[in-house]
Amino acid sequence: MLRKISFLLVFVLLLAGVNMSAENPQYYILERQRMVERQIEARGIKDSRVLKAMQKVPRHLFIPEENRHSSYADTPLPIGEGQTISQPYIVAFMTEILDLDSEDRILEIGTGSGYQAAILGEIAKEVYTIEIIPVLGKRAEKLLKKLEYENIYVKIGDGYKGWPEDAPFDAVIVTCAPEDIPRALINQLKEGGRMIIPVGTSGGVQELVKGVKDKGRFKTQDVLPVRFVPMVRGKDKK
Ligand code: SAH
C-alpha cells in the first residue's frame, strides 16, 4: 500500500514538473507576468499600454533557442551576428518616453530581433524599422509576419539615411548608438515629434537622449546612462 502511494506521489510530482516546464505555454505567460511586475512596474513604468504590450509579446520567440531559457531575465541577450536584444526594462523605458498614440507612425533604427518593433506595433498605428545586417532583418521580418503584425514594415538598409519615402514620423527610436544624432533622423521627425536615441562612443560612455521637435527646433535632454551596440556606417557611405 505504502509503495503504491509513494509511486503515485512520484507520478503526480512528475506531472507537476512537466507543467512547470518551458513546453507549457502557460509557463512563458507566468514568466512574462513576473518580468512585468518585478522589472518594469517595480522600477516605475506606469503607461498601461506599455505594460500591456510587454505582457503580450512573446519575447522568448525573438531569442535564439540556446538562450531561450533566459528570455525573461533582467538582462540584454545575444541574438547572433554580435548583436543584442535590449534588457526588458530598457525596451519599456524607451517606449514609455515616446508617449505614443494609437495613430502614431514610428521609425525604428536597429530592428535586431524585431522585439522592440513588436512592442511598438502593439501600441502605434505603423512601425517602419531598418536593420543593416540582412540575416537579422530577414529573420525578424519572417517572425513578425508569423505573429501577424501587419503594421510593421522591415527594410534592410543604413539607418543613417532614415526612411525618407514614408517620412515624416511622429516618433523615432534608435536602438544602436551613433556618436552624434544623425541629421536625417531629425529631419524626418514631425513637428511635435519625439526621439529617443543612445548617443556616445562604442565601449565608452553613452547617454540615452530624448529629443522633441518644437516649433522647428530640436530640443534634447539626457535621460539615462546606457550601453548599446554601435550604430555602424553603411558601406556606400565613407
Ligand atoms: N531593437 C532591437 C535591438 C537590436 S541591437 C531588438 O529589439 O532586438 C541594434 C541593432 O542595430 C543591431 O541589430 C545592428 O545590426 C543594428 N544597426 C547597427 N547600425 C545600424 C545602422 N546604421 N542602420 C540600421 N541598423 C543598424
Side-chain angles (χ1 to χ4, degrees):
M1 181 65 181
L2 206 63
R3 268 184 68 184
K4 250 190 184 163
I5 290 174
S6 55
F7 184 75
L8 203 71
L9 196 68
V10 168
F11 185 69
V12 167
L13 282 175
L14 263 176
L15 262 184
V18 166
N19 265 334
M20 287 312 290
S21 89
E23 277 123 66
N24 185 340
Q26 198 64 26
Y27 172 84
Y28 284 121
I29 294 173
L30 288 172
E31 285 270 284
R32 261 201 306 283
Q33 203 169 319
R34 209 171 304 163
M35 170 191 86
V36 170
E37 284 168 11
R38 299 187 186 169
Q39 302 173 36
I40 316 288
E41 278 188 294
R43 293 197 183 115
I45 303 293
K46 291 194 178 67
D47 189 329
S48 61
R49 293 161 304 176
V50 177
L51 297 173
K52 211 168 133 202
M54 299 288 294
Q55 177 62 56
K56 184 171 170 198
V57 178
R59 179 172 164 95
H60 60 282
L61 298 183
F62 293 83
I63 290 167
E65 235 155 283
E66 63 269 25
N67 286 319
R68 201 154 281 173
H69 58 282
S70 306
S71 300
Y72 297 98
D74 192 13
T75 176
L77 289 168
I79 52 167
E81 308 295 315
Q83 307 304 318
T84 53
I85 178 173
S86 302
Q87 179 190 1
Y89 172 68
I90 293 293
V91 173
F93 181 86
M94 291 175 80
T95 309
E96 182 174 64
I97 218 165
L98 290 175
D99 193 18
L100 300 174
D101 190 270
S102 58
E103 283 305 302
D104 282 350
R105 295 167 66 253
I106 307 168
L107 173 65
E108 181 195 25
I109 309 299
T111 314
S113 68
Y115 177 68
Q116 173 75 71
I119 295 289
L120 297 168
E122 288 288 337
I123 301 171
K125 188 175 175 198
E126 287 171 341
V127 181
Y128 296 78
T129 178
I130 307 177
E131 171 56 53
I132 205 162
I133 301 178
V135 287
L136 291 182
K138 294 212 178 89
R139 195 172 70 196
E141 186 174 31
K142 204 168 138 198
L143 177 58
L144 291 166
K145 198 167 173 195
K146 196 172 149 204
L147 295 175
E148 299 179 346
Y149 284 101
E150 279 162 17
N151 59 342
I152 304 178
Y153 308 99
V154 183
K155 176 155 94 175
I156 307 297
D158 182 1
Y160 279 97
K161 296 177 185 152
W163 196 313
E165 310 88 284
D166 289 286
F169 299 96
D170 298 284
V172 173
I173 176 169
V174 184
T175 63
C176 42
E179 291 188 9
D180 300 294
I181 302 178
R183 178 47 55 185
L185 302 185
I186 300 174
N187 291 343
Q188 290 172 26
L189 202 55
K190 260 188 204 167
E191 170 62 29
R194 291 85 60 205
M195 185 187 295
I196 187 78
I197 178 167
V199 183
T201 51
S202 88
V205 185
Q206 296 170 1
E207 193 68 44
L208 211 46
V209 177
K210 183 191 178 179
V212 180
K213 206 181 238 185
D214 182 17
K215 300 187 191 79
R217 287 193 52 204
F218 190 62
K219 296 181 180 162
T220 63
Q221 164 193 359
D222 290 359
V223 289
L224 191 75
V226 283
R227 189 179 288 265
F228 273 80
V229 296
M231 182 162 172
V232 298
R233 296 254 168 210
K235 284 196 179 72
D236 56 329
K237 210 167 174 191
K238 297 266 146 51

